[in-house]
Amino acid sequence: MSGHVTEIVVFAILFLIVSGMGFVAARWRRPDDLASLDEWGLGGRKFGSWVTWFLVGGDLYTAYTFVAVPALLFGAGATGFFALPYTVVVYPLVFLVLIRLWSVAHVHGMVTPADFVRARFGSPTLALLIAITGLVATMPYIALQLVGIEAVLKTMGVTGDLPLIIAFAILAAYTYQSGLRAPALIAFVKDALIYVVIIVAIIYIPTRLGGWGSIFDAAKAKFDATPAPDGILLNANNQLQYITLALGSAMALFLYPHSVTGVLASRSRGVIKRNMSALPAYSLLLGLIALLGYMAIAAKITPITAGGKADVNTVVPQLFDKMFPDWFAGVTYAAIGIGALVPAAIMSIAAANLFTRNIYKEYIKRDATDAQEAAVSKIASLVVKIGAVLVILLIDPQFSIDLQLIGGVIILQTLPAVALGLYTRWFHRAGLIAGWTAGMAAGVLMLYNVANPATNHAHFGGSAFSLAKLGLDTKMTIYAGFLALAVNLVVAVAGTLIARAGKLTDGTDATRPADYEADEGDPRVHEIELSGSH
Amino acid sequence: MTTPPSDQRPARRDRSPWNWLLIVPIVIPLITALYNSDEPRLFGFPLFYWLQLAFIILGVTATTVVYQMGKKRSGR
C-alpha cells in the first residue's frame, strides 16, 4: 500500500495541472464572444494541422481503448488485434469523404451530422433519427471513459465512488466554461504523456521479460493450454469476423458525432488531408499498446477480482504497477486518467450539440439565437456527464460495455444517409428511414442472439454473430454490424424504388454540388432556410 | 434561401486518378491470408503482428501521395 502513495501523489498532481489548463483554455485564441456553437462547440472552426492532430487523436484513441484492447488480447489473443487493421483502413477510407463533409458544413454552418442530413434530404424526421442514433451511441461511450479511470483507481487501491465523481465534476466544470478549447489544449499533455509511457513500456518491459520472442511464446503457451478458440493467430472460423469487424468499425468511426466534431473544428480541407496521413502515428501506438496484453500474460499478471468477478481491464495498470518504479507508475496512471478526460469532453460536447441543433432548435425553439444555442448546449453537456456517472455508479459497468457494443452497430446504420448522402442524392428520404429502421432491428436482434459463455452472458455477449444461426452450415462468425448494414442498404434501395414508383413527395436538397468542394475563404451561406415538411 | 453567386468560387475538382491509390491500403490489410502466420518472425514478432504494423506505412504512403498529387493538380 505504501508504494501506492507515491503513485497517488504523482497522479493527483498531473491531474490537477491538466484541470487548471482546462479552465485557462477559455482564453486560448479568445474570440470576442464565446456565446455561439461555432465558438463553444467547435473552437471557432479554426484549428490548424497540429491542434487537429492532437484533438482528433485524443478523441479517437481513448483511455478505454488503451485499457480494453490489451485486455482483449490478454483474454482472447489475435482477434483483439483487429483494432490495428481497423485504424489502418479507416484513414484512406474516409479521406475523400471527410473533405466533402467539411466543405458542405463550412458553407452551410452545420455543426452535427444530423444538420447535414436535414439540409440534404429535407427531412426533419430522418435528421431526428440520425441525431437520436448519435446520442444513444455516444452516451455509453462517455460512460466507458469512466471505466478507464476506475481501472486505474482500483489498481492504486483507491476505493469508493467519490474520487470518480470528483474527477468528472472537474471535467464537467471546465468543459462548461471553455467548450471544445479545453480538450484541444489538454490533448497536448495527454498525448505527450501517452507517447512517453508507451515508448518506455515497449523498450523497457521486454528486457524484463526476456525479449519480444518469449513474450509471444508465453502468450501462445497460455492459449494452447485452453480449449477455447483463442490463440496468437486467427483460426478458420474467426477470420471473416476479424476483417468485417475491422472494416465495419472503420466505416463507423467517423459517423460518431464526436469524430465529426473534431473534423469540423479544423480550419481547412488541407488540415484534414494532412491529418489523414499523420493520424496513423496513433495506430502504431495502439498496435504496440495492444501488445501490453501479451506482456501481462508473460509477466503472469492476474486481473483484480471484485465481488467475485475478475476485472480484465485492470491488467494493464497492474502490469505498470509491477514493472515500473512507483513514481513512473503514477505517470502512467495519469496518462490513462487524463486520456479519459479528452474524449469524454469532446463526446459530451458533440452530444450536447446534437441535442441543441436537432432537437431543441428543431422542435422546441425554432428561432433560438446563437447565444441561446450555446447556453442550451452548455447545460446539455452537464446533463450528459451526470447521466454517464449515474450509469456507471448505479448500473453494472458491464451494461455500458454492452451498450457501447450496440452503439457501434447502430451508428453504422446512419451510413447510407450521412456518408452515401455526401456523394449521392439518389436515395428517397422514405427509403432511408425504412432502411434505418430495418438495419437497427436486424442489428439489435443479432446482438441479442450472441451468447458469451466466458462472461456468463446469454445475450449481448459480443459482436461476432454465428452464421449457423442463419441456417448456413458453417462455424464462421461475422460482425453483426456488417450484416445489419447490408439489410439497411437493401431496404433503403427497395424503399427508394417503391417511393419513386408511388410518386411519394421527396424532400428538397438545400445543398448544391459546388458546396462539397468549397474551401477556406469561400463564401458561406449564413442563414439557410431549411426547407421540407414535418 | 440565400444563395451566393457560384461564379465567385474558383473551379476545383476533387477527382483525380491518383485517388484510386487509396484502395490499396484498404484492401491489403483485410486479406488475412497474407499475414495469418507465426513465421517468419522479425525481432521476435510473429508475422501476424509485424506485417500488420508495417501496413501502417502503406496507409501513410498512399494518403500522402494522394494529397501531394491533389495539390499539384489544383496548382496550389
Side-chain angles (χ1 to χ4, degrees):
Chain A
M1 185 65 210
S2 62
H4 288 319
V5 175
T6 320
E7 291 172 3
I8 293 169
V9 170
V10 174
F11 177 86
I13 290 174
L14 286 169
F15 198 91
L16 286 177
I17 291 174
V18 160
S19 304
M21 287 177 68
F23 286 106
V24 175
R27 294 190 207 163
W28 182 35
R29 301 177 170 186
R30 187 173 177 81
D32 299 333
D33 187 8
L34 254 180
S36 78
L37 277 194
D38 276 353
E39 290 298 338
W40 183 83
L42 289 177
R45 297 188 193 246
K46 285 200 185 73
F47 290 146
S49 297
W50 279 102
V51 182
T52 303
W53 187 73
F54 281 108
L55 181 71
V56 177
D59 187 14
L60 304 185
Y61 300 83
T62 69
Y64 176 68
T65 323
F66 290 157
V67 168
V69 171
L72 218 52
L73 268 85
F74 178 86
T79 49
F81 209 60
F82 87 92
L84 184 68
Y86 154 28
T87 56
V88 171
V89 164
V90 66
Y91 302 108
L93 188 69
V94 301
F95 186 95
L96 298 168
V97 184
L98 289 183
I99 53 177
R100 285 178 76 82
L101 177 64
W102 184 91
S103 291
V104 73
H106 172 81
V107 173
H108 292 270
M110 296 157 180
V111 179
T112 70
D115 281 351
F116 163 69
V117 171
R118 174 77 170 80
R120 178 66 146 166
F121 294 98
S123 167
T125 316
L126 184 59
L128 180 66
L129 292 178
I130 302 291
I132 291 174
T133 315
L135 281 169
V136 172
T138 308
M139 292 284 286
Y141 221 155
I142 300 170
L144 277 189
Q145 301 309 317
L146 284 158
V147 174
I149 301 183
E150 216 179 12
V152 168
L153 291 174
K154 251 189 210 172
T155 311
M156 289 192 293
V158 178
T159 48
D161 298 331
L162 197 61
L164 207 59
I165 294 174
I166 293 173
F168 240 50
I170 296 174
L171 168 72
Y174 64 66
T175 313
Y176 181 89
Q177 191 192 331
S178 310
L180 196 65
R181 284 178 169 81
L185 198 58
I186 293 173
F188 286 98
V189 183
K190 176 220 152 186
D191 288 340
L193 281 177
I194 297 254
Y195 274 99
V196 168
V197 166
I198 295 308
I199 291 167
V200 171
I202 60 164
I203 293 171
Y204 175 71
I205 299 180
T207 64
R208 293 271 309 266
L209 297 171
W212 283 101
S214 54
I215 290 171
F216 284 106
D217 290 338
K220 187 171 187 309
K222 181 203 160 187
F223 294 127
D224 285 350
T226 57
D230 50 18
I232 63 164
L233 296 178
L234 298 171
N235 59 47
N237 296 327
N238 60 19
Q239 294 192 24
L240 182 65
Q241 158 74 8
Y242 188 83
I243 61 171
T244 50
L245 182 56
L247 183 59
S249 307
M251 292 193 296
L253 185 61
F254 280 94
L255 294 170
Y256 275 105
H258 63 270
S259 322
V260 171
T261 301
V263 169
L264 296 189
S266 56
R267 189 177 57 211
S268 69
R269 306 183 113 207
V271 167
I272 298 171
K273 290 178 184 171
R274 275 192 289 277
N275 266 283
M276 292 298 111
S277 308
L279 281 167
Y282 289 95
S283 305
L284 179 64
L285 200 65
L286 177 64
L288 296 170
I289 288 172
L291 296 176
L292 291 173
Y294 288 168
M295 292 185 201
I297 294 177
K300 302 193 173 55
I301 301 287
T302 44
I304 293 180
T305 347
K309 277 199 297 189
D311 181 0
V312 283
N313 287 329
T314 56
V315 295
V316 168
Q318 285 218 84
L319 177 72
F320 291 155
D321 187 40
K322 186 168 172 179
M323 291 288 152
F324 292 135
D326 293 334
W327 70 269
F328 194 72
V331 173
T332 66
Y333 297 162
I336 298 175
I338 297 165
L341 300 181
V342 174
I346 305 172
M347 287 168 191
S348 63
I349 290 170
N353 290 347
L354 273 175
F355 172 78
T356 307
R357 293 292 287 236
N358 309 110
I359 296 175
Y360 172 76
K361 185 158 189 185
E362 184 77 58
Y363 294 99
I364 300 172
K365 193 169 166 57
R366 295 202 73 124
D367 57 347
T369 62
D370 283 356
Q372 282 169 329
E373 276 187 32
V376 169
S377 233
K378 287 169 90 168
I379 293 167
S381 83
L382 290 181
V383 174
V384 163
K385 283 199 209 68
I386 295 170
V389 174
L390 289 180
V391 165
I392 287 291
L393 296 184
L394 302 182
I395 313 172
D396 185 352
Q398 183 62 41
F399 182 69
S400 304
I401 298 171
D402 293 350
L403 272 181
Q404 201 257 342
L405 183 76
I406 300 171
V409 172
I410 67 169
I411 200 72
L412 206 46
Q413 306 315 316
T414 64
L415 182 137
V418 179
L420 298 185
L422 285 166
Y423 281 91
T424 174
R425 187 55 183 72
W426 181 81
F427 288 103
H428 191 286
R429 58 183 178 182
L432 286 171
I433 293 172
W436 179 89
T437 314
M440 291 293 247
V444 174
L445 193 68
M446 277 187 274
L447 289 175
Y448 181 79
N449 280 303
V450 176
N452 187 347
T455 53
N456 209 5
H457 264 51
H459 304 291
F460 299 113
S463 62
F465 183 71
S466 168
L467 287 175
K469 293 210 164 109
L470 297 175
L472 298 171
D473 183 23
T474 171
K475 280 188 175 163
M476 284 209 274
T477 54
I478 188 168
Y479 176 47
F482 209 73
L483 268 188
L485 179 61
V487 171
N488 182 337
L489 285 170
V490 169
V491 173
V493 169
T496 298
L497 293 174
I498 293 169
R500 291 267 150 75
K503 303 232 169 5
L504 220 63
T505 329
D506 200 353
T508 352
D509 185 357
T511 68
R512 294 162 315 136
D515 297 347
Y516 295 86
E517 298 192 352
D519 204 350
E520 187 184 12
D522 286 350
R524 292 184 188 187
V525 176
H526 278 295
E527 286 298 323
I528 44 163
E529 285 171 12
L530 298 168
S531 45
S533 55
H534 282 276
Chain B
M1 198 164 82
T2 52
T3 313
S6 55
D7 47 84
Q8 286 179 1
R9 295 158 192 261
R12 205 179 279 124
R13 303 295 302 160
D14 279 344
R15 284 174 201 278
S16 157
W18 287 99
N19 290 351
W20 292 102
L21 198 60
L22 293 173
I23 291 182
V24 178
I26 297 175
V27 172
I28 300 285
L30 297 178
I31 306 173
T32 49
L34 289 177
Y35 50 78
N36 196 26
S37 158
D38 193 329
E39 303 289 336
R41 286 199 176 194
L42 184 71
F43 305 116
F45 281 61
L47 178 74
F48 185 83
Y49 299 90
W50 70 256
L51 190 54
Q52 290 197 75
L53 284 166
F55 288 154
I56 295 173
I57 301 167
L58 196 67
V60 172
T61 311
T63 45
T64 308
V65 169
V66 170
Y67 172 51
Q68 294 299 337
M69 289 302 159
K71 264 207 306 198
K72 265 187 200 160
R73 281 172 67 90
S74 61
R76 301 186 307 149

